[in-house]
Amino acid sequence: MPRTQKNDNFIDKSFTVMADLILKLLPANKKAKEAFVYYRDGMSAQTEGEYAEALENYEEALKLEEDPNDCGYILYNMGLIYASNGERDKALDLYHKAIESNPRLPQALNNIAVILHYEGEQAKQLGEEERGEALFDQAADYWVRAIRMAPNNYIEAQNWLKTTGRMEIDIFF
């Protein structure tokens, strides 16, 4: 059964109806519209925690999608799934591909930084001070890039960057 027929609540049904209307009215080719349907179904499945189904839909959307910016969002959402499942390496790979496809995704830069920071903490707990600091420095580089794109976001990261001396206080203001 297509995901559009599974939505039980009012908000999901409303979203589906609106998305279908927009899809019909969009001046896009059939392939782009089909990619959007897979993407929409992937987002719906992801919201419900149906990650395998979401990934299947995102894979299909990627096969059809020609717009690099849209591909970036698809790859980013796939990265979210892998990160939530603890598959950090796969998530990092997908976030990097998302940025290659769509360089204006500060959320992907942030998520890379979060993973690198986590791995830095893990390294330090294992007594690997140098490796931990190197991972922190990498995380800082990604956070600075994300903050430059979205200066009002990532306040905790900005505070961490300032308190660790990895960012000048007024760099973004």
Side-chain angles (χ1 to χ4, degrees):
M1 171 185 304
R3 176 145 293 276
T4 55
Q5 295 174 3
K6 290 182 184 179
N7 293 334
D8 293 337
N9 68 48
F10 175 76
I11 294 172
D12 283 345
K13 285 181 182 177
S14 298
F15 172 77
T16 300
V17 168
M18 292 297 291
D20 286 341
L21 283 172
I22 292 169
L23 194 59
K24 288 177 184 170
L25 298 174
L26 274 178
N29 65 38
K30 184 180 181 208
K31 193 174 178 183
K33 289 180 179 185
E34 203 175 330
F36 177 78
V37 169
Y38 281 113
Y39 179 66
R40 181 199 60 208
D41 287 351
M43 287 192 316
S44 179
Q46 185 174 356
T47 300
E48 293 176 14
E50 299 290 340
Y51 296 142
E53 181 181 345
L55 287 171
E56 287 174 15
N57 280 297
Y58 290 146
E59 291 287 345
E60 290 301 318
L62 274 178
K63 290 177 190 173
L64 298 166
E65 187 56 65
E66 295 173 347
D67 183 277
N69 289 333
D70 291 343
C71 287
Y73 284 104
I74 295 166
L75 292 162
Y76 169 77
N77 283 337
M78 292 172 74
L80 288 174
I81 292 170
Y82 284 103
S84 71
N85 287 336
E87 296 181 57
R88 291 185 307 275
D89 290 338
K90 183 70 174 167
L92 283 172
D93 180 54
L94 287 162
Y95 291 144
H96 283 289
K97 287 178 180 176
I99 293 165
E100 286 173 27
S101 186
N102 180 354
R104 300 289 307 162
L105 282 175
Q107 59 270 44
L109 294 167
N110 174 66
N111 289 7
I112 291 169
V114 167
I115 291 171
L116 292 171
H117 184 270
Y118 171 81
E119 290 179 349
E121 287 178 334
Q122 297 299 304
K124 286 192 156 228
Q125 285 180 0
L126 295 172
E128 300 172 8
E129 289 295 318
E130 277 186 43
R131 182 170 171 266
E133 284 300 318
L135 287 163
F136 285 161
D137 289 343
Q138 288 177 32
D141 290 341
Y142 281 98
W143 267 323
V144 167
R145 288 174 57 194
I147 293 165
R148 282 192 176 129
M149 280 188 231
N152 296 323
N153 295 350
Y154 317 117
I155 302 303
E156 287 182 41
Q158 289 183 45
N159 289 335
W160 179 81
L161 289 166
K162 290 174 190 173
T163 59
T164 62
R166 288 181 166 88
M167 177 177 86
E168 292 180 24
I169 292 177
D170 293 328
I171 194 169
F172 301 112
F173 304 103

